[in-house]
Amino acid sequence: DQQVKQNSPSLSVQEGRISILNCDYTNSMFDYFLWYKKYPAEGPTFLISISSIKDKNEDGRFTVFLNKSAKHLSLHIVPSQPGDSAVYFCAAILSGGYQKVTFGIGTKLQVIP
Amino acid sequence: NAGVMQNPRHLVRRRGQEARLRCSPMKGHSHVYWYRQLPEEGLKFMVYLQKENIIDESGMPKERFSAEFPKEGPSILRIQQVVRGDSAAYFCASSPPRSGPNTGELFFGEGSRLTVL
């Protein structure tokens, strides 16, 4: 039962253009949605999050959009840089209890110089 | 200002042997989580521990796997009688004591890559 789905295993984008990574979820009880970034041979690092009561959160070049009615969120990276090349995991959490995070399978982003 | 420390980074075991993976959380963090990433899959929650307590082990396989977080020392994920299907990257994450709603921000170590021959 995959509650967080990333249907695109990979994405290639030219440097300077926008990268859009998509994510769908099935559990309407999730309270927070997150994106983690992972480089090869490293652990995931937190990138940006959004509360379920918001529809947009922006942090520098990174913006996350949430569409609750569609159970869909997306991460926009503008402008994309070669250093953004990594695997991006969409994730979600229920705020009650503890930090048990549910992850998607990831999308590998390649930014071409 | 060390982050989450995991060792060993790489571990090779033959079928039937035991694997022990260690995790030291960030300073000031009292919550430890173990996740497993199988090849071509995302991270799957295994277990959540606080000092001397297992809070949630719903993601742990029923047999051969155990975890602990003793009062002193690192958290240990132990896999007995390893099989080839246990080959994966095992990530430990930590978080500080909660002072507000959970936001999902975890601090991960670099992972331990287990290969079972």
Side-chain angles (χ1 to χ4, degrees):
Chain A
D1 175 26
Q2 201 172 351
Q3 298 187 66
V4 177
K5 302 177 184 178
Q6 294 177 259
N7 293 318
S8 298
S10 62
L11 175 68
S12 288
V13 172
Q14 287 290 133
E15 180 179 3
R17 307 294 289 266
I18 184 171
S19 295
I20 301 176
L21 295 95
N22 293 301
C23 177
D24 298 295
Y25 62 95
T26 57
N27 188 344
S28 58
M29 301 298 291
F30 284 134
D31 297 294
Y32 274 88
F33 301 90
L34 311 96
W35 288 91
Y36 278 80
K37 178 179 177 179
K38 184 183 180 301
Y39 292 116
E42 294 186 11
T45 55
F46 169 79
L47 184 60
I48 191 170
S49 66
I50 186 168
S51 164
S52 62
I53 63 173
K54 306 276 188 182
D55 55 19
K56 178 182 175 181
N57 187 27
E58 188 173 352
D59 184 2
R61 296 185 298 113
F62 302 91
T63 303
V64 57
F65 295 92
L66 176 63
N67 182 336
K68 283 192 73 174
S69 61
K71 294 192 176 70
H72 178 84
L73 66 153
S74 60
L75 174 68
H76 292 212
I77 307 173
V78 181
S80 301
Q81 299 174 354
D84 297 330
S85 298
V87 176
Y88 289 80
F89 291 100
C90 176
I93 188 170
L94 301 169
S95 65
Y98 51 89
Q99 303 270 43
K100 184 176 178 180
V101 180
T102 301
F103 287 88
I105 66 170
T107 296
K108 185 174 183 179
L109 173 66
Q110 182 182 20
V111 179
I112 303 164
Chain B
N1 205 15
V4 177
M5 303 299 291
Q6 289 189 248
N7 68 82
R9 292 292 308 277
H10 300 276
L11 183 63
V12 178
R13 285 289 178 264
R14 296 191 180 280
R15 282 179 295 169
Q17 291 184 319
E18 178 179 288
R20 283 192 182 221
L21 309 176
R22 289 174 290 277
C23 169
S24 296
M26 283 183 72
K27 188 175 181 180
H29 287 193
S30 55
H31 301 224
V32 166
Y33 305 77
W34 284 94
Y35 283 79
R36 176 166 69 171
Q37 185 179 23
L38 293 168
E40 307 302 322
E41 293 190 19
L43 293 97
K44 301 285 188 187
F45 169 81
M46 298 182 75
V47 61
Y48 162 51
L49 311 104
Q50 294 179 15
K51 282 286 187 182
E52 300 185 278
N53 286 304
I54 298 174
I55 308 302
D56 181 347
E57 56 182 348
S58 59
M60 291 275 271
K62 294 285 185 277
E63 298 176 344
R64 303 186 297 107
F65 284 72
S66 62
E68 63 176 9
F69 189 15
K71 187 177 179 181
E72 301 291 336
S75 174
I76 307 283
L77 179 67
R78 181 184 179 202
I79 311 171
Q80 295 178 287
Q81 299 175 323
V82 296
V83 301
R84 289 215 173 105
D86 297 333
S87 296
Y90 292 83
F91 291 95
C92 172
S94 71
S95 67
R98 187 161 71 101
S99 59
N102 291 312
T103 58
E105 186 174 353
L106 295 172
F107 296 83
F108 280 87
E110 293 183 317
S112 292
R113 279 150 187 84
L114 172 65
T115 301
V116 179
L117 301 177

